[in-house]
Amino acid sequence: MTIPTFPVEIYSEILKHIPTTDDSGVKLLLAFLQSNSRLRAAALAPEVWEPHYHARYVHSVEERERQRRDAAGNNWRQLYIQRRTLDRKALQSLDEIRKDRRDRHNKVATITDFSFDIWDAIRQESRIPIPLCFRGSYGEQDESAVPPDALPRQFWANTILGVIARRQAVGIWGRTFSEQGDVPFEEALASLSSVYSVSVKEITVMLDDIFEHCKQELQKLAVCLDPNDSAYDLWELCIQIRSVLRDMGFRVANSHRFSRLFSQFPHSFLLPGHRDTIPMSLIYVFVSICTRLGINASPVNFPGSVLAHVASSDGNILFDMCSARRPLRTSNTADLQSFVRSQVGGATVTVLNEESTGPADSATMLSRAFNNIMSFIRFERMHDEDPASLERREKSFYLITLCRLLFIQNQFDGLLPSPPHTMPLDDRAVILDVLAPLLPEHIRSPLQDACEERLRDAAVKSTKVYSRKDVGKVDYFVGLCFRHTEFQYTGCIFGWDATCNASEEWIREMKVDRLKHGRDQPFYVAYADDAHSRYVAQENIIPVVPSEADLRRLASGTIVYV
């Protein structure tokens, strides 16, 4: 049987429809390049590569991307090759950081210079398969796809993503609290998720998906979306948007879930199953959908509950996402006063003015978000013993200490940001390089001193090499899992000292000298299954073979691979 031969254009049209869900489509195109002249010519066509380029590369440094496209004349194959070349360089730099702890803070500058041009490649690296026992659910039983060093590779990829995201976020916060204050509400709140290694662009993509679904549902309901159409009814449209969003799960959380830390972070509350949240987050989604529909909507820093302000030629309205209440006209003072009383439990009504009923700027809403986060930190500290909660609190508190330096400059109280152990590269790449230049001298100087001291300490530790055979009495080793003789928690050793190297104050508080061997015995730095780091005397360690349950508990927080 003879296979028919088609013109090159036919083959090119067929190749345009190769799936772009993974790299298999690109591999198929590369195979065509090794085939006969017609198939090779078809695979070389720039338009064949366009869908694969857009599928793989969502992020970029916009100015550099414009320059690349201008130089390439929109030759998508050439652009794809250029970006893959950047990917390889970035992944090579990432490997150097992972494998050699020396001079990591300077090495990270290479990657941060690439910035969002290499984000998508690092994001793929952060999603490599990990051993079954560390996964959230068992799923497939085959572990053959798990690459070597999967856990440290994933950790350092997420670390780099976080550095890039927070460098962008600090710039956003700086502009938000500047005199210009020209940052949109959507972008300002999206930047909060940078402490969880999520970019503003990723939040935008999530909102775009929600908008498309919402738009389809509105069209099914025959709601007019064209403001130039005589049937257009802004009042009714806002009510229908709220109704559709509620059907998608966006509603006010109950009393316990209301105070979850993740209720303030877009990467969480935008996900199905997490959409019952706080009023500000509901208004965030509502305003984002309205903006995409061409509606002039903004948040309102209303007493008791955040509302939405919708500008209209027929009179501005305030909109509540937490109930089925009809919109309130800003001109109707009696209705506004009644609503405030319902929000504050009948207490003395706050004087209503343009500031409390008009559009709020992003600086005001970020400040309110910070107050929410501090309240939620206190709530989780009292009510949530999950090891992952400790990590959330540490990251969220770090976020607050970063941001507050930008808006309390005249009331500086000496509180400086100190990156949690899950963010080991922030001192130079985020705080010194991006945050410090935005601050006045009386804040910048002590901040730089604190960071430089931590960097010097890290540099000393990175050059030390410990050998158990040189000490002799160190019985255990890095990687050993154990159970504590007294407190019964499970831990994993990741460092040790030949004798107790803690402060005298800690030694007294922990009653180290009452131990059988006192301070003159090896002490081990360990990661415990409650997400805390521990400093444990050798006599309190019982080696164990960890069960899958033990490993899952140990992996419930972020394990730092130094």
Side-chain angles (χ1 to χ4, degrees), residues 286-435:
F286 178 80
V287 168
S288 299
I289 299 303
C290 286
T291 301
R292 285 161 171 77
L293 287 170
I295 300 171
N296 185 0
S298 310
V300 176
N301 192 33
F302 202 74
S305 178
V306 177
L307 302 180
H309 179 280
V310 178
S312 168
S313 58
D314 297 330
N316 300 331
I317 59 176
L318 297 184
F319 202 78
D320 179 22
M321 274 292 293
C322 297
S323 70
R325 179 190 296 269
R326 291 188 65 78
L328 301 167
R329 292 200 179 275
T330 57
S331 57
N332 192 328
T333 306
D335 280 353
L336 292 178
Q337 294 282 6
S338 175
F339 180 69
V340 173
R341 279 191 289 270
S342 71
Q343 293 296 301
V344 297
T348 303
V349 178
T350 304
V351 175
L352 296 176
N353 50 34
E354 180 62 27
E355 185 176 341
S356 59
T357 61
D361 59 29
S362 294
T364 298
M365 299 313 298
L366 268 186
S367 298
R368 187 161 178 162
F370 299 153
N371 290 333
N372 288 342
I373 291 171
M374 286 303 299
S375 175
F376 298 160
I377 287 174
R378 289 191 290 268
F379 178 87
E380 287 206 2
R381 184 182 295 122
M382 292 187 293
H383 299 285
D384 196 338
E385 297 180 356
D386 180 4
S389 174
L390 172 64
E391 185 178 325
R392 289 195 298 271
R393 297 197 303 269
E394 288 178 341
K395 288 181 175 181
S396 299
F397 185 72
Y398 174 54
L399 164 73
I400 297 298
T401 58
L402 281 175
C403 293
R404 69 192 298 272
L405 293 185
L406 294 165
F407 69 90
I408 62 159
Q409 296 186 5
N410 295 327
Q411 297 88 33
F412 178 54
D413 55 6
L415 180 61
L416 296 171
S418 178
H421 69 292
T422 52
M423 302 177 184
L425 299 178
D426 269 35
D427 269 316
R428 182 172 300 284
V430 176
I431 299 178
L432 286 180
D433 291 352
V434 185
L435 177 62

Side-chain angles (χ1 to χ4, degrees), residues 36-54:
N36 62 53
S37 58
R38 285 177 180 269
L39 294 180
R40 184 165 58 253
L44 284 171
E47 63 271 15
V48 168
W49 290 82
E50 183 175 1
H52 299 278
Y53 186 87
H54 290 306

Side-chain angles (χ1 to χ4, degrees), residues 89-141:
K89 291 179 180 179
L91 291 173
Q92 181 180 355
S93 296
L94 180 60
D95 267 350
E96 292 174 0
I97 290 173
R98 174 174 61 86
K99 293 176 180 178
D100 188 352
R101 63 187 300 190
R102 293 171 298 179
D103 205 30
R104 275 177 176 159
H105 288 276
N106 291 322
K107 290 176 182 176
V108 75
T110 302
I111 292 186
T112 55
D113 183 57
F114 290 136
S115 188
F116 285 101
D117 278 346
I118 50 87
W119 178 279
D120 299 298
I122 304 297
R123 175 59 79 197
Q124 282 195 350
E125 178 77 357
S126 75
R127 292 171 175 164
I128 59 175
I130 60 175
L132 190 65
C133 58
F134 292 109
R135 298 178 195 173
S137 59
Y138 281 100
E140 295 293 329
Q141 299 298 311

